[in-house]
Every structure is written in C-alpha cells, then in structure tokens.
Amino acid sequence: MRHVIFRLDKERYALPLSAIREVVVPPGQFTRVPRSPPSVRGVINLRGRVVTVVELRSLLGLPEPSPASQKIVLLDRGRRDLGLLVTEVDGIESIEKVAPAPGKPAASVRGVARLKGLAVTVLDPDGVDGAVAACFAR
Amino acid sequence: MPVDMSKYLSLFVTEATEHLESLGRDLVELEKTGGTASIDSMFRHAHSVKGMAASMGFEVAATLAHRVEDLVDAVRSDASLLDRELVDLLLSTTDTLLSQVRAAAEGQPPEDSGPIERQLSERLARITGRSPSPTKVAQATARPSAPPVPPAAPKAPAPAEKENPQERDAGLGLPPRFGLKVRIAQSCAVPGVRAFLVHKRLSGLGNVFDLKPALEDLKAGRIPDGLVSLELETSAGEAGVRGALGNISEVEVLSLKPVVFTAPSPPAPMPSPESAKVVGHEAARTVRVRTELLDYFLDTAGELLLATARIREVGKALPARSQPSLDEAVDRLHGLVKDLHDKVMKARMTPLSVITDRLPRAARDIARRRERDVDLVVTGADIELDRAILDDLADPLLHLLRNCIDHGIESPEERAAQKKGARGRVLVSVRRARDRVVVEIEDDGRGMDPEKLKAAALARGLITAEVAGRLSDAEAYTLCCLPGVSTARDVSEISGRGVGMDAVKRAVESVGGTLEIESERGRGTRFILKLPLTVAVVNLLLVAVGEEIFGLPIAKVIGAVEAEAGTLSRSREAALLPYAGSLLPVHPMADLLGIPDLPRVGPRPFVVMEAESGRVALAVDRLLGQEEVVLKALSRPLDLVPGLSGVTILGTGRPVFILDVPRLLAA
C-alpha cells in the first residue's frame, strides 16, 4: 500500500496515502483553541474551512514538541477537519510488511516497517483520530 | 395600455403565486381527505387568480385560471368527479400558471399553454357535457363598445374594458349583476336564431359576461342541450330581464339570480394565514417587509446596543452628582434597545410551514412518478426559525423527502410481501429541543444497507477496504453524504444520482446545524436535522484576550464598563465589579479560557453578561467592536471543547471562536 512518509525531527513516520487529503504549509499564526489539550496547536482557516491542527509529536507522547515543525498533513477522514503538524514530508513510498512496534502498544501506531534499510513507524489514521478525540475528552 | 401596470406587477406576482401555491396545497389535501372544505377555498384561489390575471391583461393565464375555476366548480357539485387524473391535470395547470406568473414577472412572454388548455377543455366538456366557454377576458376585450368600468379598489388598476369580478361590489356604483340560465327547446328548428335573439335583447339591457357557449357557437346553433348561460350587468332589474326575454318563443328561463361576489366577503373563514395576508383590506394587521430591511433593522439594533454601552462608559467621566441621573437614563435606553433587538429577532422568525407546506404536493408528485403510495404527515410546522435558516432549508428538506420516497418506500407489492401496509408513510416532525429546532424526516421503508453504502464508497475510491471494514453501521450511513455515493439500484429522474445528500449536509452545516442519519433495515430511515433556532448570522462583540480574539453573542451582552482592576472590591479573594447598583462577580477571561494573561496596568474593560446564576463581569483586554458574522458549526474535535458555541472566520481571514459564556463558567 502506498504511504506518505514524513519526519518528526529525524524519526520517520508513515500514513496511508488514502488517509491523507493534502499537505499544506502552516500559516503565520494559529487561532488558539481555548481549554484545549497541550498537543492542540490551534485552528487555521483553510480555504474557508476551520481545520484543527495537532502537534503529532505531542500526540504520540514524544518529548518536547519540535519548534521546527513546518508542514501540516491533513487527514482525509470525510467528516473531520484535522491536520497533523510534522517536521517535513519526504514523499510517497510503498509499504507492505509492517512488524509490531517496539515499546508499549498505542492505538495510533500500527507497527514499524523497513524502508530502504531504515525504520519507519507506520501510523493508523483511525487511531490518530481517536487519540485526538481522547485528548480533548479528558 | 393606458394605465402603467408595471407598479402593480410585483403585487400581482406575489399574490398570484400565493394563491396558486395554496391552490396546489388544497388539491393535494382534498385528494387525501376528500373533505369539501378545501373546494371552496380552491375555487376562491382560482377565481382570484383569474381576476388578477384579467386585470393585468394576462389573457392566457386568465383563461387557464378560468378553466380551473370551472372544473373546481364542477367538482363542488359532484365530489366524485375528482379522480387522480383530474388532480394531476389541475396540479399541472397550477404549475403552468406559476411559470406564467414567473414569466410575467420577468417580462417574458408566457410559455405555450395550448396543450394543457385543450386538456382542460376536453375534461370540462366530458364533465359538463358542454364545450367550455371562452374566458371573460377574451370576451371582454372583444367588446370594443363596452362602457368603461371604473377602476375599483386601488389594487385593481383595471384598464377600462377588462373585467375584474373580484374588485366589484355593490358599493362601487356598478349596476347589479345577474346570473342567467335559459334553455332553448329541443324541438326548436332554429336554436341559433333564438339564442342570438336572447343575446341581442340582453346586450340591449347592459353588459353580457361569461356567455356559454360563445357567441360564434350560439349563432351557428352549436348549443349543447340547448343550454345557454351568461352573466348580465344591468340596472334593469330582475323584472326587466324577464320582460326582455318574455316574448321570445321556445326559450325558457331556467334561473335568474343576482350574482354574489365571494371575494370581498368570503363565505368561509380564510383557510390559511397566507390567504389572510393577501386580501389587504381584510387583514390589515400584517404587512410584507423585505428581508433585507429586517436584516438592516437587526444590524442597527445591534449597533444601538453597543452605542448605549459606549454612552455608559463615557458617562463615567462626568462629575459624581450627575451620575445617578445619567445611569438611570442609560438603563432606560438600554432596556428599550434590548427590547427592540428582541423584537427584530422575533420579526425574522418564520414558521417552518412556509417550507413544509410545499411538501405534500411534492410528495404526491414523486410518489406518482415512482408509483408509490405514500402518506405524508407533517407535525410541528408552526415552530419558528429564523428566516435566513428557513431559506437555506427548503431544498435540503425537499431532497430528503425525495430520498425517503424514492429509495425508502417500497412498491406496494414489495410492501405487501414484507407484511407492511400498502401505503408508505413519511413523517416530517418538527420540535424544539432547548435552543435548537429538531427536524426529523423518517420513512417506514426498506432502510439503508450499510454494506451497500460501503461498497459504493469503496468503488468510488472514497474509502479504503480497511476503513470500510472498521466503519460502524451508523458511520456507514453518513457515507451517503459523500459525493457520488448512492445505493439506488436505478438512477431515477428524481434522486439516486448521488448528488444531493452531500449538498444537503453542506447546507445544513452552513446554517450551523447538524445532520444525523439513523436507519434500520426493513424498518425505515430517519434523517435528523438539528438546527440553531436563530440565525447562523450572529452579532458578536469581539474582544481581545491576550493575543487572541473571541466573539461574545451581542444578544447576551448587557453592557461594558472600564475599571481599574486594583480598585475592585473583593470578597474571599474574588473580585467584585460595581455595576448598575449591584456587585458582579468578576471572571478573568484569560483564566476561563486557559490563555496566558498579559501583564497590564491601568483600567481594563469588563463585559457584563447574563449567565445562569445571574450577571457576571468578564475581564478582557480590549473591546474590538461589533461584527456580524456567519456562524460555523464546530467540527470534530472542536465540538468536544466545553464553552464554545461555534466558530467564524472574520473578514481578515482569521478564525474566531464564539463563546458560550454560561457553559464556560459551568465547566
């Protein structure tokens, strides 16, 4: 299956291409969402739609959200306007074999794959979606 | 045309449209219930349209309306005449008339109504055994020698020779009118001559209207059953009329009675609020107001609220001894303006019946085309919504109805096999649920198949197989709102092309509402629209808190004051703001919203708002002014944040959240 490969700092991650609508450059300013969990960066106006942007690092429980985040990966979840803030998008690659990820299992993570000799963490779009809703509901 | 008719055109268009729409509703209602009450009302509507069209010189429309009037009249005396085909015919005539009215509004020539007119005439001939009479307009204009009829009521600027029965009454100095029926004996060898003589004698007495059969037919002796009917306007009196006909042999006067015009004093109470509005002198209590004007009122009332708040603030600089009297005056002003604002909001509220009234007719048409038997039940249509929302709702509602009948309701045979009643049922119910209006459209048809929806979405590449496998049934139903997804086996003219449901969803969401779908296989489908009671356009007071901007609904704002934070009195650490004679609890907005507060010195503004427990003062950093914005519904996950009621995009492109202060305080 074809995946979009992107980076959080140096670590590589992947999401199925079919789950992604587009990649955009963040605007200069985010509108802060009051009382939102820390991983929520804010909302942006994307061609008249209000899209919630989440720091993927923070959502995945990685330390210190990266200040160098510079791309927003928009999930295409039909009825959800959700974007993930990542460091950089590398391109599209085919990933077939996904092995269980090390560490404690998380709904957002499907597993790891080997791509050109390097590890890629394959994410589960529904799991990511669920994680966002969960951090809001808290 | 001697009189400039253009200024009456828009009035004609509005009123004729309303009459025709009511006529259509009555027809559907009549077919359903078989009651007689709507026949009279139908007759009145047809009659009014005829009169209006005639007075405006729209002869084609007047003729059609006249035929409808005749047919309705026939049904009035024998209700069994009203079968499906007749209802179809009358409804399509109504549609033709509506399009002619529209054409008139745009100054276009009317579309060809020849075929439908012929159908009407044939039908009329079959029912009454007579060929239909020419219409009054055509006949009236063909009489160049007719004495001028003075223009009657102000809204009937009838050119002299046009006949306009609706506006006529005894009080206007016109000679009384008689309805006359005569029979020429079957044995008569020269019926044409006798009939012509009758016409000639009567023409000598006054003006002849509504001659049946037409004069040409009379002269040629084409008189079915020897029956001639006409109306005569004359001051000769009943005796004079009888006298004039007395010495014509082989002619028998069957009836002669004064014609009573129903329009000025209808025999039955007006059946719908619309018709009450139409006749100005009857219901002078309602007027038409253009929506833009109402929008303007709302804007201005909102501005007034802010201006009042401003005066209060400026007044703070006045010497202490003039404060009480100023406060009193401002309080009074504020009360008045608030009241005005509420009333303007109320004036924009319109009952849902404005759009649901069209549904029975639509349901009938769709059901007929699809050969379904459907009962449509509408409840709660008197519930009111803001006009702006209603306008955007008409098409989506119609589309959902189509969906129910087209895809939901099975054919009568299929229903019988399912042990369901042969007639399908579509229920449109409207109810209030707190600050929302819930509109539900449900059918008792076959329900939706989540697997089919998934397969359709999959086939179009809108979802992946993996996603499809994970979707719950409830999630699968919403797939039908994706562009291009439809499970309809055959693509009908009406729906099933997969356009539409996405448009419905978009329309509902654009007014700040939500669309939910419930379905059970074999039991039916329910579309649930949750709509904001008031407009998607809201007036906001924009305030700055830290670096952020938030919107507060003006309707909930009581006032704004500036005060030095350090000077506020305190109780158990909580600050209290003196306002209008009481002490209000102060809530720093930055704390409420979880936003870093900017260090500040000097006075800061406080917005006073109504909350659940009474008034509160919200400490903000700056008042930015008022703006009217279009409210957007909160999409996931924003709807999980307590205290937000919506979001909007300002003119600058910046998204701004609209706060629900009571919930913000409660959370």
Side-chain angles (χ1 to χ4, degrees):
Chain A
M1 201 162 41
R2 303 218 292 165
H3 281 67
V4 173
I5 314 293
F6 53 89
R7 278 179 290 126
L8 294 174
D9 289 342
K10 298 215 172 70
E11 270 187 29
R12 297 201 303 166
Y13 290 82
L15 271 167
L17 179 61
S18 59
I20 287 168
R21 190 196 329 222
E22 62 181 309
V23 177
V24 296
V25 178
Q29 202 187 10
F30 288 89
T31 290
R32 188 193 286 266
V33 182
R35 293 187 168 184
S36 58
S39 45
V40 176
R41 187 64 205 278
V43 296
I44 58 166
N45 167 11
L46 184 74
R47 300 187 292 270
R49 298 185 75 92
V50 176
V51 173
T52 309
V53 180
V54 174
E55 283 273 8
L56 186 57
R57 280 189 73 90
S58 156
L59 193 71
L60 296 175
L62 305 175
E64 280 301 297
S66 154
S69 298
Q70 46 190 311
K71 288 283 158 56
I72 298 172
V73 175
L74 285 166
L75 290 187
D76 190 358
R77 300 282 298 108
R79 58 208 177 284
R80 299 203 175 174
D81 294 303
L82 189 59
L84 303 173
L85 211 48
V86 303
T87 310
E88 188 52 271
V89 174
D90 287 348
I92 296 167
E93 301 286 350
S94 185
I95 295 180
E96 299 303 336
K97 270 166 67 182
V98 179
K104 62 175 184 199
S108 342
V109 180
R110 244 185 90 206
V112 287
R114 231 174 98 94
L115 191 67
K116 293 176 193 148
L118 295 167
V120 177
T121 310
V122 181
L123 300 177
D124 177 312
D126 283 328
V128 170
D129 216 22
V132 172
C135 75
F136 265 95
R138 230 175 280 139
Chain B
M1 208 173 279
V3 189
D4 175 24
M5 304 299 282
S6 60
K7 58 182 165 179
Y8 300 103
L9 185 62
S10 69
L11 189 66
F12 164 75
V13 170
T14 331
E15 298 198 343
T17 304
E18 285 190 354
H19 278 296
L20 289 169
E21 280 174 356
S22 306
L23 180 63
R25 268 203 301 283
D26 285 345
L27 271 166
V28 176
E29 178 68 22
L30 178 66
E31 185 189 37
K32 202 163 106 191
T33 61
T36 53
S38 43
I39 297 188
D40 286 334
S41 137
M42 276 162 56
F43 187 78
R44 268 201 304 282
H45 292 308
H47 187 80
S48 304
V49 172
K50 181 184 71 172
M52 289 172 189
S55 70
M56 293 296 293
F58 299 127
E59 305 200 3
V60 187
T63 309
L64 284 181
H66 188 186
R67 296 275 182 273
V68 173
E69 187 187 348
D70 286 347
L71 280 168
V72 172
D73 199 27
V75 172
R76 176 145 66 172
S77 40
D78 181 1
S80 70
L81 290 172
L82 193 82
D83 52 18
R84 261 192 180 181
E85 282 69 36
L86 183 55
V87 174
D88 282 344
L89 179 59
L90 289 175
L91 283 175
S92 49
T93 313
T94 314
D95 290 343
T96 307
L97 278 167
L98 275 170
S99 78
Q100 289 189 346
V101 169
R102 268 195 298 278
E106 288 155 13
Q108 303 289 324
E111 66 176 61
D112 176 38
S113 58
I116 198 143
E117 207 188 315
R118 271 193 295 285
Q119 275 178 278
L120 286 167
S121 305
E122 281 165 22
R123 186 75 201 199
L124 197 56
R126 239 189 301 153
I127 289 177
T128 60
R130 279 178 282 134
S131 62
S133 62
T135 53
K136 298 176 178 183
V137 182
Q139 204 181 354
T141 42
R143 279 185 303 115
S145 61
V149 177
K155 77 167 190 178
E161 74 264 41
K162 300 285 187 200
E163 186 225 5
N164 187 7
Q166 209 203 351
E167 303 306 328
R168 194 190 303 272
D169 78 47
L172 293 168
L174 292 169
R177 222 194 228 220
F178 294 92
L180 177 65
K181 276 198 180 113
V182 301
R183 180 159 52 203
I184 296 156
Q186 295 288 342
S187 58
C188 175
V190 283
V193 174
R194 300 281 179 249
F196 183 60
L197 204 54
V198 169
H199 181 257
K200 196 171 174 214
R201 290 273 173 85
L202 295 175
S203 303
L205 290 178
N207 296 323
V208 173
F209 298 95
D210 218 2
L211 179 66
K212 295 175 194 171
L215 192 55
E216 292 78 7
D217 292 327
L218 279 188
K219 286 191 203 162
R222 287 190 293 268
I223 310 168
D225 298 328
L227 287 170
V228 178
S229 72
L230 53 82
E231 285 182 11
L232 176 67
E233 209 172 65
T234 178
S235 40
E238 201 175 322
V241 176
R242 285 191 188 277
L245 298 178
N247 57 358
I248 308 176
S249 54
E250 296 173 283
V251 169
E252 181 196 355
V253 175
L254 291 179
S255 68
L256 174 63
K257 50 189 179 221
V259 174
V260 178
F261 288 96
T262 52
S265 53
M270 285 301 196
S272 68
E274 265 93 340
S275 31
K277 258 183 260 160
V278 169
V279 189
H281 48 92
E282 273 204 323
R285 308 181 61 169
T286 52
V287 290
R288 291 172 187 286
V289 180
R290 278 178 303 122
T291 332
E292 310 92 81
L293 201 57
L294 280 179
D295 290 346
Y296 175 79
F297 287 158
L298 189 64
D299 268 5
T300 315
E303 294 282 350
L304 278 172
L305 276 176
L306 282 177
T308 311
R310 177 85 189 126
I311 295 175
R312 199 188 292 277
E313 240 182 282
V314 171
K316 295 285 175 288
L318 288 175
R321 60 186 161 79
S322 33
Q323 287 282 347
S325 53
L326 180 81
D327 279 351
E328 197 190 314
V330 171
D331 280 348
R332 169 126 180 85
L333 179 62
H334 179 84
L336 287 171
V337 173
K338 193 85 198 332
D339 195 39
L340 179 66
H341 189 265
D342 288 353
K343 290 289 188 298
V344 173
M345 285 302 283
K346 210 170 268 171
R348 288 171 55 102
M349 301 299 274
T350 315
L352 247 117
S353 56
V354 168
I355 53 176
T356 57
D357 277 355
R358 291 174 200 162
L359 296 182
R361 164 74 201 274
R364 183 189 184 277
D365 284 357
I366 302 161
R368 278 282 264 156
R369 231 170 299 163
R370 302 281 296 166
E371 286 162 16
R372 301 280 189 271
D373 284 325
V374 178
D375 285 327
L376 176 73
V377 181
V378 180
T379 63
D382 55 334
I383 287 174
E384 294 182 326
L385 268 180
D386 191 280
R387 178 96 223 178
I389 298 177
L390 271 186
D391 287 349
D392 289 348
L393 217 57
D395 287 344
L397 219 53
L398 194 60
H399 188 87
L400 291 175
L401 176 74
R402 281 175 182 158
N403 246 294
C404 286
I405 300 175
D406 244 15
H407 306 325
I409 306 290
E410 310 90 335
S411 66
E413 303 78 52
E414 205 176 320
R415 289 183 70 87
Q418 304 262 338
K419 300 196 170 54
K420 290 182 182 180
R423 296 188 70 81
R425 188 178 138 99
V426 177
L427 177 67
V428 178
S429 62
V430 186
R431 63 190 157 81
R432 278 282 293 274
R434 289 191 301 153
D435 62 339
R436 305 232 116 187
V437 169
V438 182
V439 180
E440 291 185 355
I441 302 179
E442 65 176 300
D443 63 63
D444 65 349
R446 58 171 75 93
M448 289 202 279
D449 185 342
E451 296 311 318
K452 265 198 206 163
L453 281 166
K454 286 183 200 173
L458 205 53
R460 297 204 161 248
L462 296 164
I463 55 169
T464 60
E466 203 187 346
V467 172
R470 258 199 310 263
L471 285 182
S472 68
D473 285 358
E475 285 171 317
Y477 297 139
T478 60
L479 289 176
C480 75
C481 299
L482 293 176
V485 176
S486 170
T487 62
R489 270 169 303 187
D490 51 341
V491 174
S492 78
E493 175 194 352
I494 307 162
S495 52
R497 280 165 298 195
V499 292
M501 275 310 291
D502 59 323
V504 169
K505 189 172 156 67
R506 225 179 308 120
V508 170
E509 287 177 354
S510 73
V511 299
T514 59
L515 173 69
E516 289 164 36
I517 305 171
E518 292 173 0
S519 190
E520 199 177 331
R521 295 212 52 196
R523 300 290 293 275
T525 301
R526 177 185 296 161
F527 299 96
I528 305 161
L529 282 68
K530 294 186 178 157
L531 304 162
L533 186 57
T534 46
V535 236
V537 176
V538 284
N539 262 306
L540 295 182
L541 174 64
L542 294 177
V543 297
V545 181
E547 286 169 354
E548 301 295 325
I549 298 175
F550 293 97
L552 299 169
I554 284 275
K556 304 247 169 69
V557 173
I558 292 160
V561 290
E562 232 170 50
E564 193 94 42
T567 65
L568 296 180
S569 29
R570 298 186 160 265
S571 158
R572 286 180 298 159
E573 293 291 290
L576 291 166
L577 178 81
Y579 182 84
S582 59
L583 289 169
L584 306 181
V586 170
H587 298 272
M589 277 280 251
D591 291 359
L592 278 178
L593 298 170
I595 286 172
D597 207 355
L598 298 179
R600 58 178 302 135
V601 284
R604 75 185 311 172
F606 294 84
V607 179
V608 178
M609 293 190 71
E610 204 75 66
E612 234 124 74
S613 54
R615 292 176 177 189
V616 295
L618 304 171
V620 300
D621 288 322
R622 260 177 312 140
L623 298 179
L624 301 173
Q626 189 204 344
E627 192 148 343
E628 188 173 71
V629 302
V630 178
L631 191 74
K632 285 175 171 292
L634 296 165
S635 60
R636 267 290 144 100
L638 298 173
D639 59 342
L640 298 169
V641 181
L644 299 186
S645 66
V647 63
T648 188
I649 295 175
L650 294 186
T652 58
R654 179 179 184 148
V656 161
F657 288 104
I658 295 148
L659 304 178
D660 177 345
V661 171
R663 277 189 61 200
L664 204 55
L665 292 171

